Every structure is written in structure tokens, then in C-alpha cells.
Amino acid sequence: MEDTCFASLQKRFRADPLSLAGRIPGILLVNKPSGPTSHDIVDIARRRLGLKRIGHGGTLDPLAEGLLLILAGEATRLFDDLQAFDKCYRAQLRFGMRTDTQDATGRIVEAYRDGAMA
């Protein structure tokens, strides 16, 4: 019986993969590139999956690249539980310059070389 039910579900999903997506809760692991916001990624997932109940497990800065957890359907209830886990960040820093935005997108307003302003 189980195999028959699974085979039927599998056949239906192959015919129209998005038809069941709105009814299957889950967590999507997205490798967010630099540029889009976490909200942008959620909007893309919402449109492609045809879901209204979708969110993310924590914001990544638009310049950040990394794992973004997309919560779909009933999995959105896991948000508070996910916040309890430790997060790990890795960063690259460039010493010796200052920009007008205090990040890599800004115009360089001061640069230092060998301890003196260049």
C-alpha cells in the first residue's frame, strides 16, 4: 500500500512539480549570492513555488554571500527554534582605506600606506 501511494505521488509530482510544492512544508537551503536581499530571495521562492506562507530563517546583508534558510508552509513555525542555534560568519577585511559608506560599495575617501595617509 505504501509503495503504491508513494508511486502515485511521485508520478503526480513529476507531471507537475509545482502542483504539490504549496502543500509540502520544508526548509530550502539557498546559497545567497552577494547583491540581492534576503527578502528578494524569499520573493523569488514565493513566485516560483506559488506559496504565500514562506519566509527566511534570518537576514543576510545584501553584500553577504552564504546559506539562507527559506521556510515554506508549516515549516515557518520553526523560525523561533532556529534562532536558538549558533551562527558562524567568515569575513574578509581590507585595512588601510575608508569609504564614504563604510563598506565595499562606497567611494574611497581616505587611504593609508605604510602608516601614513596616501
Side-chain angles (χ1 to χ4, degrees), residues 54-69:
I54 191 165
H56 59 77
T59 302
L60 286 176
D61 184 272
L63 291 178
E65 299 174 6
L67 182 64
L68 180 67
L69 303 178

Side-chain angles (χ1 to χ4, degrees), residues 45-118:
R46 183 177 286 124
R47 282 193 310 272
R48 289 190 181 171
L49 296 174
L51 295 175
K52 290 183 180 179
R53 194 168 178 193
I54 191 165
H56 59 77
T59 302
L60 286 176
D61 184 272
L63 291 178
E65 299 174 6
L67 182 64
L68 180 67
L69 303 178
I70 302 293
L71 309 172
E74 294 295 315
T76 56
R77 294 180 180 187
L78 298 174
F79 178 80
D80 290 336
D81 296 323
L82 290 173
Q83 299 309 303
F85 287 97
D86 290 337
K87 293 158 186 70
C88 178
Y89 301 93
R90 184 173 42 189
Q92 289 182 332
L93 303 174
R94 178 182 245 172
F95 293 104
M97 65 178 58
R98 187 168 62 92
T99 66
D100 57 358
T101 60
Q102 304 299 315
D103 63 24
T105 65
R107 185 177 57 82
I108 298 172
V109 293
E110 283 183 277
Y112 295 89
R113 185 173 176 160
D114 300 324
M117 190 163 47

Side-chain angles (χ1 to χ4, degrees), residues 3-57:
D3 291 335
T4 306
C5 291
F6 181 73
S8 172
L9 182 66
Q10 196 174 31
K11 181 179 177 184
R12 186 171 166 195
F13 189 71
R14 282 189 184 137
D16 183 10
L18 297 181
S19 68
L20 296 177
R23 289 177 270 170
I24 300 174
I27 299 175
L28 304 171
L29 306 177
V30 177
N31 185 14
K32 188 192 99 48
S34 179
T37 65
S38 297
H39 188 266
D40 293 338
I41 301 297
V42 168
D43 280 345
I44 291 167
R46 183 177 286 124
R47 282 193 310 272
R48 289 190 181 171
L49 296 174
L51 295 175
K52 290 183 180 179
R53 194 168 178 193
I54 191 165
H56 59 77

